[in-house]
PDB file of all heavy atoms in Angstrom:
ATOM      1  N   GLU A 215      99.596-118.138 -67.821  1.00 96.00           N
ATOM      2  CA  GLU A 215      98.874-117.454 -66.871  1.00 96.00           C
ATOM      3  C   GLU A 215      99.542-116.118 -66.359  1.00 96.00           C
ATOM      4  O   GLU A 215      99.049-115.018 -66.283  1.00 96.00           O
ATOM      5  CB  GLU A 215      98.492-118.433 -65.649  1.00 96.00           C
ATOM      6  CG  GLU A 215      97.422-117.855 -64.766  1.00 96.00           C
ATOM      7  CD  GLU A 215      96.039-117.951 -65.323  1.00 96.00           C
ATOM      8  OE1 GLU A 215      95.841-118.856 -66.203  1.00 96.00           O
ATOM      9  OE2 GLU A 215      95.145-117.220 -64.803  1.00 96.00           O
ATOM     10  N   ASN A 216     100.947-116.271 -65.897  1.00 96.00           N
ATOM     11  CA  ASN A 216     101.570-115.143 -65.386  1.00 96.00           C
ATOM     12  C   ASN A 216     102.373-114.372 -66.409  1.00 96.00           C
ATOM     13  O   ASN A 216     103.096-113.337 -66.258  1.00 96.00           O
ATOM     14  CB  ASN A 216     102.615-115.680 -64.236  1.00 96.00           C
ATOM     15  CG  ASN A 216     103.713-116.437 -64.821  1.00 96.00           C
ATOM     16  OD1 ASN A 216     104.111-116.349 -65.964  1.00 96.00           O
ATOM     17  ND2 ASN A 216     104.344-117.290 -64.019  1.00 96.00           N
ATOM     18  N   GLY A 217     102.221-114.687 -67.727  1.00 96.00           N
ATOM     19  CA  GLY A 217     102.636-113.685 -68.814  1.00 96.00           C
ATOM     20  C   GLY A 217     104.012-114.072 -69.205  1.00 96.00           C
ATOM     21  O   GLY A 217     104.625-113.381 -70.022  1.00 96.00           O
ATOM     22  N   SER A 218     104.636-115.133 -68.639  1.00 96.00           N
ATOM     23  CA  SER A 218     106.040-115.475 -69.077  1.00 96.00           C
ATOM     24  C   SER A 218     106.198-116.320 -70.335  1.00 96.00           C
ATOM     25  O   SER A 218     107.253-116.562 -70.746  1.00 96.00           O
ATOM     26  CB  SER A 218     106.874-115.999 -67.894  1.00 96.00           C
ATOM     27  OG  SER A 218     106.302-117.150 -67.402  1.00 96.00           O
ATOM     28  N   PHE A 219     105.091-116.910 -70.683  1.00 96.00           N
ATOM     29  CA  PHE A 219     105.019-117.505 -72.032  1.00 96.00           C
ATOM     30  C   PHE A 219     103.871-117.036 -72.827  1.00 96.00           C
ATOM     31  O   PHE A 219     102.794-116.720 -72.297  1.00 96.00           O
ATOM     32  CB  PHE A 219     104.721-119.082 -71.652  1.00 96.00           C
ATOM     33  CG  PHE A 219     104.645-119.908 -72.940  1.00 96.00           C
ATOM     34  CD1 PHE A 219     105.849-120.308 -73.511  1.00 96.00           C
ATOM     35  CD2 PHE A 219     103.446-120.160 -73.496  1.00 96.00           C
ATOM     36  CE1 PHE A 219     105.799-121.125 -74.832  1.00 96.00           C
ATOM     37  CE2 PHE A 219     103.374-121.012 -74.733  1.00 96.00           C
ATOM     38  CZ  PHE A 219     104.545-121.345 -75.344  1.00 96.00           C
ATOM     39  N   HIS A 220     104.142-116.905 -74.137  1.00 95.00           N
ATOM     40  CA  HIS A 220     103.095-116.276 -75.036  1.00 95.00           C
ATOM     41  C   HIS A 220     102.832-117.441 -76.155  1.00 95.00           C
ATOM     42  O   HIS A 220     103.594-117.960 -76.797  1.00 95.00           O
ATOM     43  CB  HIS A 220     103.593-115.072 -75.775  1.00 95.00           C
ATOM     44  CG  HIS A 220     104.097-114.083 -74.721  1.00 95.00           C
ATOM     45  ND1 HIS A 220     103.096-113.350 -73.988  1.00 95.00           N
ATOM     46  CD2 HIS A 220     105.176-113.680 -74.271  1.00 95.00           C
ATOM     47  CE1 HIS A 220     103.663-112.467 -73.175  1.00 95.00           C
ATOM     48  NE2 HIS A 220     104.916-112.753 -73.243  1.00 95.00           N
ATOM     49  N   LEU A 221     101.373-117.697 -76.054  1.00 97.00           N
ATOM     50  CA  LEU A 221     100.885-118.602 -77.026  1.00 97.00           C
ATOM     51  C   LEU A 221     100.740-118.093 -78.368  1.00 97.00           C
ATOM     52  O   LEU A 221     100.339-116.969 -78.641  1.00 97.00           O
ATOM     53  CB  LEU A 221      99.593-119.177 -76.522  1.00 97.00           C
ATOM     54  CG  LEU A 221      99.034-120.428 -77.016  1.00 97.00           C
ATOM     55  CD1 LEU A 221      99.894-121.579 -76.916  1.00 97.00           C
ATOM     56  CD2 LEU A 221      97.554-120.610 -76.451  1.00 97.00           C
ATOM     57  N   LEU A 222     101.223-118.996 -79.395  1.00 97.00           N
ATOM     58  CA  LEU A 222     101.071-118.509 -80.837  1.00 97.00           C
ATOM     59  C   LEU A 222      99.516-118.401 -81.161  1.00 97.00           C
ATOM     60  O   LEU A 222      98.713-119.294 -80.700  1.00 97.00           O
ATOM     61  CB  LEU A 222     101.684-119.588 -81.729  1.00 97.00           C
ATOM     62  CG  LEU A 222     103.137-119.309 -82.160  1.00 97.00           C
ATOM     63  CD1 LEU A 222     104.035-119.263 -80.922  1.00 97.00           C
ATOM     64  CD2 LEU A 222     103.704-120.411 -83.022  1.00 97.00           C
ATOM     65  N   ASN A 223      99.068-117.451 -82.065  1.00 97.00           N
ATOM     66  CA  ASN A 223      97.859-117.485 -82.616  1.00 97.00           C
ATOM     67  C   ASN A 223      97.690-118.506 -83.708  1.00 97.00           C
ATOM     68  O   ASN A 223      98.830-118.965 -84.257  1.00 97.00           O
ATOM     69  CB  ASN A 223      97.304-115.992 -82.875  1.00 97.00           C
ATOM     70  CG  ASN A 223      98.182-115.472 -84.133  1.00 97.00           C
ATOM     71  OD1 ASN A 223      98.570-116.270 -84.934  1.00 97.00           O
ATOM     72  ND2 ASN A 223      98.366-114.130 -83.988  1.00 97.00           N
ATOM     73  N   PRO A 224      96.509-118.823 -84.186  1.00 97.00           N
ATOM     74  CA  PRO A 224      96.376-119.815 -85.259  1.00 97.00           C
ATOM     75  C   PRO A 224      97.273-119.479 -86.515  1.00 97.00           C
ATOM     76  O   PRO A 224      97.905-120.410 -87.033  1.00 97.00           O
ATOM     77  CB  PRO A 224      94.921-119.673 -85.633  1.00 97.00           C
ATOM     78  CG  PRO A 224      94.333-119.224 -84.412  1.00 97.00           C
ATOM     79  CD  PRO A 224      95.214-118.292 -83.743  1.00 97.00           C
ATOM     80  N   ASP A 225      97.366-118.234 -86.938  1.00 97.00           N
ATOM     81  CA  ASP A 225      98.378-118.012 -88.178  1.00 97.00           C
ATOM     82  C   ASP A 225      99.666-118.222 -87.856  1.00 97.00           C
ATOM     83  O   ASP A 225     100.444-118.702 -88.587  1.00 97.00           O
ATOM     84  CB  ASP A 225      98.053-116.461 -88.565  1.00 97.00           C
ATOM     85  CG  ASP A 225      96.864-116.367 -89.399  1.00 97.00           C
ATOM     86  OD1 ASP A 225      96.031-117.342 -89.549  1.00 97.00           O
ATOM     87  OD2 ASP A 225      96.623-115.233 -89.863  1.00 97.00           O
ATOM     88  N   GLN A 226     100.199-117.894 -86.587  1.00 98.00           N
ATOM     89  CA  GLN A 226     101.559-118.211 -86.267  1.00 98.00           C
ATOM     90  C   GLN A 226     101.878-119.684 -85.997  1.00 98.00           C
ATOM     91  O   GLN A 226     102.935-120.055 -86.443  1.00 98.00           O
ATOM     92  CB  GLN A 226     101.865-117.412 -84.874  1.00 98.00           C
ATOM     93  CG  GLN A 226     101.939-115.931 -85.040  1.00 98.00           C
ATOM     94  CD  GLN A 226     101.874-115.195 -83.642  1.00 98.00           C
ATOM     95  OE1 GLN A 226     101.270-115.719 -82.731  1.00 98.00           O
ATOM     96  NE2 GLN A 226     102.631-114.164 -83.543  1.00 98.00           N
ATOM     97  N   MET A 227     100.834-120.252 -85.619  1.00 98.00           N
ATOM     98  CA  MET A 227     100.955-121.941 -85.654  1.00 98.00           C
ATOM     99  C   MET A 227     101.050-122.378 -87.122  1.00 98.00           C
ATOM    100  O   MET A 227     101.981-123.233 -87.340  1.00 98.00           O
ATOM    101  CB  MET A 227      99.812-122.485 -84.962  1.00 98.00           C
ATOM    102  CG  MET A 227      99.596-122.192 -83.479  1.00 98.00           C
ATOM    103  SD  MET A 227     100.203-123.594 -82.547  1.00 98.00           S
ATOM    104  CE  MET A 227      99.515-123.009 -80.983  1.00 98.00           C
ATOM    105  N   LEU A 228     100.392-121.817 -88.072  1.00 98.00           N
ATOM    106  CA  LEU A 228     100.424-122.306 -89.413  1.00 98.00           C
ATOM    107  C   LEU A 228     101.722-121.886 -90.109  1.00 98.00           C
ATOM    108  O   LEU A 228     102.331-122.671 -90.778  1.00 98.00           O
ATOM    109  CB  LEU A 228      99.258-121.524 -90.177  1.00 98.00           C
ATOM    110  CG  LEU A 228      97.874-122.083 -89.986  1.00 98.00           C
ATOM    111  CD1 LEU A 228      96.866-121.340 -90.841  1.00 98.00           C
ATOM    112  CD2 LEU A 228      97.792-123.657 -90.344  1.00 98.00           C
ATOM    113  N   LEU A 229     102.233-120.694 -89.625  1.00 98.00           N
ATOM    114  CA  LEU A 229     103.656-120.283 -90.216  1.00 98.00           C
ATOM    115  C   LEU A 229     104.763-121.256 -89.602  1.00 98.00           C
ATOM    116  O   LEU A 229     105.578-121.638 -90.419  1.00 98.00           O
ATOM    117  CB  LEU A 229     103.934-118.909 -89.960  1.00 98.00           C
ATOM    118  CG  LEU A 229     102.967-117.755 -90.696  1.00 98.00           C
ATOM    119  CD1 LEU A 229     103.229-116.386 -89.926  1.00 98.00           C
ATOM    120  CD2 LEU A 229     103.532-117.681 -92.128  1.00 98.00           C
TER     121      LEU A 229
END
Side-chain angles (χ1 to χ4, degrees):
E215 192 74 23
N216 68 24
S218 58
F219 178 82
H220 301 284
L221 195 58
L222 268 57
N223 65 32
D225 278 4
Q226 289 166 327
M227 292 263 190
L228 288 177
L229 288 168

